Amino acid sequence: MEHGYGFYLDEYLRDVGLQVDNRREFIECPDSAGYLSAHLPVFDLAAGSVAAFASAIDRATVRNRPQVHDVGGNPRVDASSVHSSTGSARWKLDPQRIAASFTSDRLLRIGGQPVDAFSQYSGFFAARDGWLRTHGNYPHHRDRLLTILELAPGASKAEVAHRISARDAIEIEQAAAENGAIAVRVRTENEWRLSEQSAAARSAPLVSIRDRAAGAPRERPTRFRVLDLTRVIAGPVATRALALLGADVLRIDPPVIPEIEWQHLDTGQGKRSAVLDLKNADGLAIFRNLLGSADVLVTGYRPGAIESLIGQELPAHLIHGRVSAWGWDGPWADRRGFDSIVQAASGISFLEGVDKPGALPAQALDHATGYFLAAGIVDALTLRAQDGSGRDVDVALARTGARLLDAPGRNLHPDPPTAPGEDVVVTHGEVTTARPALAEFDDYPAPPHAWGTDQLTWFDRSP
């Protein structure tokens, strides 16, 4: 079994039905230099996911050689410029750039000030029978958590800790699952491996690409259109990566659940952002019109939810990228979750802790899953150009976590992770963000801007 980024790249290629061949001749990755150091081989996961994305770009550009434009239509990067005389790209992965991208929330500055990634309602709490991990960053998740704990709105962190200490973690976990809150009992790796949900995650592909509808071959557009109905990290990282390639990415959010501002600024580069109520007849009509001319739809909804909402099947030509916490099989398939929650439930938190649960040096499950999803979408677009088939591309945080737990290269005594230097960030106005993980790109096509302020239209496809 191979160590390093190749473990994950090979897994990706096998799962999506591509030949594992000489891609290392064209993808070079130096030693990690201590970046993302942890007990588990986190840097290998990060580099492997970025390598999968680079390899997908290579397959697309060798066949199509598109001129990449920014979201305004201006030529930005000639995708063929990184190609060798043999036609394949020579990518050199930069460990520092990868680490910076994966720890972007820690490098983010707004007006020169860092952000606090977790609210007081998100964290590890000692329960009567062990540890509980909660997530209450969003107001609706916070309110549901306080409800199942039978606490009043605005309860303090001390009150939350006291109430959790008097109850069993498994009891709170079950109540959270039943009421749409987010909390899990922190498990050991062995406990997780014996669970049905672990078995489901390990048996499923890291990335799956499935034909949905056949049609006539379609020419791959130079500037493909992406509807982004995701939030938090994994989905937005995927669509930000697509924007790096010149995609016209339009993110749509419901007006009743605003995105957390810093979170949008951290992953909103190269995109436009608009608000639309799909439960309103007029809003639904606008969405259907956008969907009909989109090339890609990326969602974080449960299977069938979008089709049920719009009242029709997805267009035959559409590539539908889907991301979930736990996957689409197993007893937890319908449960909500985030990177920190998957780490806690799967044993990762105990592996990275000392006297109490800890965490990976980055929200690596989220970021890596995002790059794997972006790779799958690019490969699906390349396949669609050949046979005209729309495809579903599925990823899940728990599936990515399962590969991390199964991968070789654990370190029993890791050194503290090396911090990225100052040259891996870029500042636009008041906002400082990490540069792209792929060092061939100096910056994203456009800096992030205010959430929900753009028009619900596509850019013209013509250069």
Side-chain angles (χ1 to χ4, degrees):
M1 184 179 291
E2 181 184 351
H3 291 250
Y5 80 91
F7 171 84
Y8 300 96
L9 180 53
D10 285 354
E11 183 90 356
Y12 170 82
L13 294 171
R14 281 192 295 265
D15 283 353
V16 301
L18 295 167
Q19 183 178 0
V20 177
D21 49 22
N22 65 340
R23 76 277 180 284
R24 284 181 190 76
E25 181 180 345
F26 303 109
I27 299 179
E28 176 187 349
C29 185
D31 183 81
S32 69
Y35 294 112
L36 302 179
S37 173
H39 288 86
L40 293 171
V42 180
F43 178 80
D44 291 347
L45 170 62
S49 66
V50 175
F53 181 51
S55 71
I57 298 172
D58 187 41
R59 285 183 287 277
T61 54
V62 164
R63 289 177 174 84
N64 299 282
R65 294 297 176 94
Q67 173 76 32
V68 179
H69 295 72
D70 67 21
V71 293
N74 301 308
R76 185 167 185 84
V77 175
D78 181 353
S80 65
S81 65
V82 297
H83 284 74
S84 68
S85 60
T86 63
S88 289
R90 304 194 72 90
W91 301 93
K92 183 174 182 178
L93 305 185
D94 184 333
Q96 183 175 211
R97 286 281 288 270
I98 291 172
S101 181
F102 272 61
T103 57
S104 59
D105 58 318
R106 302 177 190 182
L107 299 175
L108 179 67
R109 297 292 183 271
I110 302 175
Q113 299 300 311
V115 299
D116 189 352
F118 292 102
S119 78
Q120 64 174 334
Y121 302 102
S122 300
F124 294 105
F125 293 90
R128 188 166 55 193
D129 62 340
W131 289 91
L132 185 79
R133 184 63 164 92
T134 63
H135 199 289
N137 284 13
Y138 286 100
H140 58 297
H141 292 150
R142 173 202 63 204
D143 294 344
R144 292 169 187 169
L145 176 65
L146 294 177
T147 296
I148 65 172
L149 294 177
E150 299 178 342
L151 291 171
S156 68
K157 182 176 182 178
E159 290 175 299
V160 170
H162 178 72
R163 187 59 55 90
I164 290 174
S165 69
R167 296 173 62 178
D168 288 344
I170 192 65
E171 173 197 346
I172 300 174
E173 175 184 279
Q174 187 59 39
E178 293 170 355
N179 293 276
I182 301 179
V184 295
R185 183 172 69 86
V186 183
R187 290 164 170 77
T188 65
E189 181 183 4
N190 286 338
E191 286 179 308
W192 176 247
R193 286 185 179 277
L194 292 173
S195 71
E196 290 183 52
Q197 194 56 51
S198 172
R202 295 182 70 203
S203 62
L206 175 64
V207 182
S208 67
I209 300 179
R210 301 186 312 278
D211 293 359
R212 190 178 62 255
R218 297 172 62 94
E219 181 179 354
R220 180 187 170 120
T222 299
R223 193 176 311 125
F224 57 96
R225 295 168 171 172
V226 179
L227 274 178
D228 179 3
L229 273 65
T230 67
R231 54 178 51 207
V232 194
I233 299 177
V237 163
T239 55
R240 182 183 64 182
L242 298 176
L244 192 66
L245 305 184
D248 181 4
V249 181
L250 178 59
R251 171 170 168 165
I252 294 178
D253 285 280
V256 295
I257 309 178
E259 179 59 292
I260 299 169
E261 180 188 16
W262 74 261
Q263 211 156 245
H264 172 64
L265 294 176
D266 186 38
T267 58
Q269 298 94 326
K271 312 176 197 177
R272 291 176 296 126
S273 167
V275 173
L276 185 65
D277 186 358
L278 272 64
K279 296 182 178 179
N280 173 280
D282 291 338
L284 184 56
I286 293 171
F287 179 77
R288 286 174 173 169
N289 182 59
L290 290 167
L291 186 65
S293 55
D295 297 291
V296 178
L297 171 68
V298 186
T299 65
Y301 294 96
R302 302 174 193 179
I306 285 293
E307 293 87 342
S308 175
L309 187 61
I310 66 176
Q312 62 187 46
E313 293 184 356
L314 298 178
H317 71 276
L318 194 74
I319 305 301
H320 185 192
R322 306 190 301 176
V323 59
S324 75
W326 307 106
W328 287 268
D329 299 298
W332 287 18
D334 288 335
R335 293 191 183 186
R336 297 164 176 84
F338 296 102
D339 182 303
S340 59
I341 296 297
V342 176
Q343 287 189 43
S346 63
I348 293 174
S349 293
F350 273 137
L351 288 172
E352 297 299 339
V354 181
D355 297 323
K356 61 180 182 179
L360 299 175
Q363 296 192 63
L365 305 185
D366 257 328
H367 285 271
T369 300
Y371 283 108
F372 284 129
L373 178 57
I377 289 170
V378 171
D379 274 324
L381 284 167
T382 301
L383 293 170
R384 189 188 71 173
Q386 301 169 20
D387 60 19
S389 292
R391 286 172 167 83
D392 292 327
V393 182
D394 293 346
V395 295
L397 304 187
R399 296 180 185 179
T400 303
R403 272 58 181 191
L404 178 61
L405 288 168
D406 286 346
R410 292 191 183 190
N411 187 346
L412 295 179
H413 305 288
D415 293 327
T418 302
E422 296 181 357
D423 59 342
V424 294
V425 298
V426 60
T427 299
H428 295 282
E430 292 291 301
V431 181
T432 298
T433 56
R435 296 184 187 274
L438 282 173
E440 284 77 10
F441 298 87
D442 184 61
D443 195 3
Y444 291 97
H449 59 281
W451 173 84
T453 57
D454 289 296
Q455 296 297 312
L456 288 157
T457 57
W458 295 117
F459 281 121
D460 190 336
R461 283 194 195 268
S462 60

